[in-house]
Amino acid sequence: MTKKVPVFAVEDLHVWVGEKEVVRGVSLEVFPGEVHAIMGPNGSGKTTLVQAVMGHPAYTVEGKIFLNGEDVSALEPDEKARKGMFLAFQYPVAVPGVTVASFLRAAVAARRGQDVPVKEFRKELLSRMEQLEMDPAFAGRYLNDGFSGGEKKRLEILQLLMLQPVFAMLDETDSGLDIDALKVVASGINAAATPERGLLLVTHYQRLLNYVQPHVVHVFMNGKLVKTGGPELALQLEEKGYDWLEAQVGGGA
């Protein structure tokens, strides 16, 4: 029998910020069609983990990162993105002077390795925007410039749907969303959760997981994955908080 290859994997990943080790030996596999959630208290290193995987230059990284079985540890962030790795930012940056449409068309062309005809691109873009209940005029605005928190998060999901990555990490995509916006964003995430793709959701709360059902839930503390379970683990955390688990694992140290 052919061994199933994870769409994403890290092996014994360590991440330093300067002299401080923030991620301390994480190994993780996500298989095609799986949705994983990483939960944990503030300051536990969740954002550092996903940013380091994507290749943020502020971090020193040791360990292996695989995408569809290929070792991409040494690749630059744009090379990982072209191969199909995606990160939705917790705090997307504004880029005045660059419209949403022109940014997305350039990004889609880079991902697909060829230009997309304007008419074809516009049709696809408007369809995806309608899916996310976005005003078509949004395409002509400058990237994240003056956007509300909810608009920024919808744009991150619009990028996800347009770029069609093989593996996507979503860093606290639910933060700053009211309940209506949360449902729309969750609908977009569910649309992206195809049998071929892997998704990794970073979140503090159960509320996103009420709408996006994860297959696997991990708890991250002090730079380590300290517990892994099914969706019931997220419910347990929602009910009890993190203190009981921190006491159980000795703070994850």
Side-chain angles (χ1 to χ4, degrees):
M1 180 180 293
T2 304
K3 186 180 178 183
K4 197 174 179 182
V5 177
V7 70
F8 169 79
V10 291
E11 291 180 1
D12 196 25
L13 198 77
H14 296 254
V15 181
W16 284 265
V17 181
E19 299 295 320
K20 183 180 180 182
E21 187 178 13
V22 178
V23 175
R24 300 185 294 146
V26 169
S27 295
L28 174 68
E29 290 183 329
V30 178
F31 288 89
E34 288 186 348
V35 177
H36 288 226
I38 290 185
M39 305 180 73
N42 280 326
S44 56
K46 304 184 299 298
T47 293
T48 299
L49 172 66
V50 293
Q51 289 189 344
V53 164
M54 199 68 213
H56 195 295
Y59 304 123
T60 302
V61 178
E62 287 186 4
K64 294 292 186 182
I65 303 167
F66 297 92
L67 185 66
N68 266 342
E70 178 184 356
D71 185 351
V72 297
S73 310
L75 297 186
E76 296 294 327
D78 64 300
E79 295 174 308
K80 292 176 180 172
R82 285 189 177 91
K83 287 182 177 291
M85 186 179 287
F86 176 85
L87 172 61
F89 292 101
Q90 183 179 358
Y91 302 109
V93 297
V95 187
V98 177
T99 66
V100 167
S102 60
F103 165 75
L104 282 174
R105 187 165 178 236
V108 167
R111 168 78 178 108
R112 297 179 187 175
Q114 60 183 17
D115 284 334
V116 183
V118 173
K119 188 175 179 180
E120 179 184 325
F121 170 77
R122 184 168 179 76
K123 182 180 178 182
E124 183 178 349
L125 177 62
L126 291 177
S127 173
R128 293 300 191 185
M129 291 177 73
E130 183 179 5
Q131 186 177 3
L132 294 170
E133 300 181 15
M134 299 169 79
D135 186 331
F138 194 89
R141 294 174 63 183
Y142 292 148
L143 196 68
N144 288 315
D145 190 23
F147 284 18
S148 68
E151 288 174 329
K152 290 179 180 177
K153 296 306 172 75
R154 288 192 198 213
L155 177 55
E156 294 296 291
I157 301 305
L158 179 62
Q159 292 176 55
L160 169 65
L161 293 174
M162 291 295 293
L163 294 175
Q164 296 288 307
V166 295
F167 173 69
M169 299 171 285
L170 310 181
D171 189 7
E172 296 195 30
T173 299
D174 52 338
S175 66
L177 298 180
D178 61 32
I179 189 63
D180 291 331
L182 178 65
K183 289 179 179 178
V184 172
V185 164
S187 172
I189 296 172
N190 283 325
T194 66
E196 300 78 23
R197 184 170 297 127
L199 297 179
L200 180 63
L201 313 177
V202 174
T203 184
H204 284 292
Y205 307 109
Q206 166 64 30
R207 65 176 201 151
L208 176 64
L209 306 184
N210 289 333
Y211 303 102
V212 181
Q213 180 79 42
H215 299 92
V216 182
V217 174
H218 309 276
V219 183
F220 202 68
M221 285 182 175
N222 293 339
K224 291 182 176 180
L225 295 176
V226 298
K227 192 173 183 66
T228 294
E232 71 285 351
L233 179 56
L235 295 171
Q236 200 173 6
L237 293 170
E238 182 75 5
E239 179 185 354
K240 298 181 178 179
Y242 292 103
D243 289 348
W244 66 277
L245 186 56
E246 193 163 4
Q248 191 178 95
V249 301

